[in-house]
Amino acid sequence: MRLRELSVTGAWEITPRRISDDRGVFHEAFTDAAFRRLTGHRFDLAQVNVSVSGEGVLRGLHYAEVPPGQAKYVMCPSGTVFDVVVDVRVGSPTFGEWSGVILDSGDQRAVYIPEGVAHGFLSLEPQSTVMYLCSEGWRPGAEHGVDAFDPHLAIDWPSVALDGTPITHVMSGKDRDAPSLLDAAAAGRLPRWEDCEAHVERLREATARVDEEWRPGAD
């Protein structure tokens, strides 16, 4: 796998090595070893979500309260999406910054979104399928959003679909009515950098304890 840290601190792009032969293509979509190299802790899988979106569908920007937050490992097995991560962690060195990655069925890239970072995507062709590995399950009332078209964020969403036709955005009412980043901050609804860092440190300590318990002893 090839790993690339995005401009948002703690977020990563993961590009797998694809093996082709006369039967088709194979790749490792997720490995514990690669994930540990980029985070220093295990990924505790609690839930797997799958969404199928028509061309022009925009989902997000969503984030969960920290702790415990909800980290995501996002892939696009079919279709093409413009995937976006936004740092909404108050106090983060990259607060307010965003990074976008094309996820598709060709390169089969993935994006890792740590706790406290907002996530969204725009579908660039019909029937785009996105799969999320989630570190925590959905908690009613603990998921929030910020405006995907907030001028302060100035996300450069694609204006045309994969076939070159202009995009008409399709969004949920909740996403359309989401507050701006600064309004969410003023209301005290955004995660704090120090809480996110403390949570990640607890994950690393827990991983180290488990590794120590499973280390073979001397005979």
Side-chain angles (χ1 to χ4, degrees), residues 51-55 76-80 123 125-130:
S51 67
V52 181
S53 301
E55 181 181 288
C76 182
S78 176
T80 306
S123 174
E125 63 176 316
Q127 297 296 106
S128 292
T129 301
V130 174

Side-chain angles (χ1 to χ4, degrees), residues 28-42:
E28 296 175 339
F30 175 92
T31 70
D32 181 67
F35 184 80
R36 287 198 194 203
R37 285 202 302 273
L38 61 92
T39 65
H41 61 80
R42 297 180 65 95

Side-chain angles (χ1 to χ4, degrees), residues 30 42-49 132-137:
F30 175 92
R42 297 180 65 95
F43 188 87
D44 292 325
L45 179 62
Q47 184 170 312
V48 178
N49 299 332
Y132 323 62
L133 310 184
C134 303
S135 66
E136 294 284 342

Side-chain angles (χ1 to χ4, degrees), residues 85-204:
V85 296
V86 179
D87 196 342
V88 298
R89 299 165 295 187
V90 175
S92 166
T94 56
F95 177 72
E97 293 188 22
W98 67 274
S99 187
V101 176
I102 292 291
L103 303 182
D104 59 22
S105 56
D107 291 330
Q108 290 290 352
R109 294 186 189 92
V111 171
Y112 172 65
I113 302 108
E115 292 85 353
V117 171
H119 170 252
F121 66 84
L122 173 64
S123 174
L124 299 180
E125 63 176 316
Q127 297 296 106
S128 292
T129 301
V130 174
M131 181 167 66
Y132 323 62
L133 310 184
C134 303
S135 66
E136 294 284 342
W138 179 69
R139 293 183 299 139
E143 183 184 278
H144 306 290
V146 293
D147 182 8
F149 295 102
D150 181 352
H152 180 79
L153 297 175
I155 296 172
D156 188 17
W157 296 103
S159 59
V160 295
L162 206 63
D163 61 6
T165 59
I167 284 178
T168 299
H169 295 115
V170 180
M171 303 172 68
S172 70
K174 181 179 179 180
D175 286 348
R176 285 193 180 278
D177 295 337
S180 69
L181 179 69
L182 297 183
D183 284 346
R189 296 179 61 184
L190 297 180
R192 298 189 306 167
W193 170 252
E194 57 265 35
D195 292 337
C196 296
E197 286 293 278
H199 180 70
V200 170
E201 186 56 34
R202 286 192 293 270
L203 292 176
R204 289 172 178 158

Side-chain angles (χ1 to χ4, degrees), residues 65-85:
E65 294 175 5
V66 180
Q70 186 187 63
K72 298 175 182 176
Y73 193 96
V74 181
M75 298 165 279
C76 182
S78 176
T80 306
V81 302
F82 181 66
D83 200 80
V84 171
V85 296

